[in-house]
Amino acid sequence: MTRWFEHDRLRYGVGIEDTFIPQIRPGHRRLDEYELTQHYSHWREDLDLVAESGAEFVRWGVPWYLVEPEPGLFDWSWTDQVAEHMRSLGLRCIVDLMHYGTPTWLDNAFLNSQYPERIASYACAVAERYRGVWDDFTPLNEPIVNAEWCGEMGNWPPYLEGTDGFLTLVRVLAKGMVRTQQEISAVNPDAVFVHVDAGFRYEGETTPLSRAILEERRFLALDLITGRVDDAHPLRDWLGEHGYTDEDLVWFAANAVQPDVLGVNYYPTFTTIRMDEKGGKSPVVAGTAGLRDLVQLYSARYGLPIIITETSLVGSPEEKIAWLRESEGEILALRSEGVPVVGYTWFPFLDLVDWLYRFDEKPADAWMLDFGLVNLVRGGDQQLARRKNAAFEEYQAIARRHRR
């Protein structure tokens, strides 16, 4: 049977931002994007808008911390409704199982010795309950970004810092990704795995990490789960210096899993980063040249079908329309050259609240970012009304054209 990503057609989708960091501490508020954007109360309207846009699929995440409020105890009351409505609308859901945050009961978050088995058990429960409705899964969104925020910069639990922290997080996240895919495959042999990575691009000199290490470490999680990290790997010595053992690499090689589709996230205004001699970072506008570069890099390295799983920009409707047209043109050019790009996702579909909200006291509206094809506008009743902007119609026209 030919699977959806094996058809020679470009599919359009959208995504709803689903970052969940439920842990609080002095100066750090809970960050739940569904709560902040009122998706919990407007979910039916939001999904109706997704269907109206012409999207064939939606990237949508399960809030693990709410679905499994206690270890092994699941509450499906809300997700059952969402799954049924997606089915009735004919939307394929690429399920985000882990979008950064763990439940509060998991002591020390990703450092908990049971994390790989806990995430796998939860993922298995989701896959088993919704088999035939939800069959497409992302085991963990953007592992390298996750490792940076949780393990290198100390912003999110377990609040590690530095290179040791970063690499500790990559290792445990990768083990969780492997165990998740293994457990889902056991209960749903028809499952499709869409692994999603944020492939940063770098310009300039870097310290304390060399440009060579930065260029390679963006691939590290995918290289680990696919069993590619051996003695010949460019980062092997660096990993050894920071605690990776032969036993670690043997385990990944013995348990290697293969994505079916590789998701590449690309934002034209900040995916490319210029580094100065002191390690300072500043974003660079790279446009379609950066998109082409990343897609070609990931395609050549892994030889898998590619989906653009996130792309968009903060700006006026006219700027969004321009990016829709430019990025569509570049994707079509890549496909004509034989690069297997099978999907395109505008992400986020709705506006979102900047992650920096977590570290501030200002209201959510002060941190609202105008990414969406649908804007969120607060009314006197404090509800966030959904307002389609002109880019919605442009996206709709493009998506419908590719469904013919």
Side-chain angles (χ1 to χ4, degrees), residues 261-292:
V261 184
L262 189 56
V264 175
N265 294 350
Y266 176 77
Y267 293 89
T269 58
F270 61 82
T271 288
T272 302
I273 299 169
R274 177 171 291 117
M275 311 288 291
D276 63 28
E277 64 278 3
K278 297 181 179 179
K281 301 178 181 180
S282 57
V284 176
V285 176
T288 55
L291 176 63
R292 168 174 283 270

Side-chain angles (χ1 to χ4, degrees), residues 313 315-326 346 370 389-392 394:
L313 51 77
S316 68
E318 292 73 24
E319 289 171 311
K320 293 173 185 175
I321 289 169
W323 178 243
L324 276 166
R325 292 173 178 172
E326 292 167 11
W346 186 276
D370 183 5
N389 59 54
F392 181 98
E394 180 69 20

Side-chain angles (χ1 to χ4, degrees), residues 278-340:
K278 297 181 179 179
K281 301 178 181 180
S282 57
V284 176
V285 176
T288 55
L291 176 63
R292 168 174 283 270
D293 177 53
L294 272 188
V295 169
Q296 289 179 324
L297 279 171
Y298 277 91
S299 180
R301 191 177 185 107
Y302 298 103
L304 294 168
I306 301 289
I307 287 186
I308 307 306
T309 34
E310 294 183 21
T311 193
S312 66
L313 51 77
V314 174
S316 68
E318 292 73 24
E319 289 171 311
K320 293 173 185 175
I321 289 169
W323 178 243
L324 276 166
R325 292 173 178 172
E326 292 167 11
S327 55
E328 179 200 25
E330 197 63 42
I331 292 304
L332 293 177
L334 285 162
R335 282 170 54 84
S336 72
E337 296 162 21
V339 181

Side-chain angles (χ1 to χ4, degrees), residues 18-59:
D18 55 335
T19 296
F20 308 111
I21 311 293
Q23 295 84 354
I24 61 174
R25 68 189 310 196
H28 290 196
R29 294 186 281 192
R30 178 171 65 189
L31 179 64
D32 180 335
E33 289 285 350
Y34 284 180
E35 178 181 65
L36 294 170
T37 61
Q38 297 182 352
H39 180 63
Y40 288 124
S41 55
H42 290 269
W43 65 269
R44 191 177 296 273
E45 178 185 2
D46 292 343
L47 293 178
D48 288 345
L49 284 166
V50 170
E52 182 185 343
S53 77
E56 294 186 55
F57 65 87
V58 58
R59 288 192 66 211

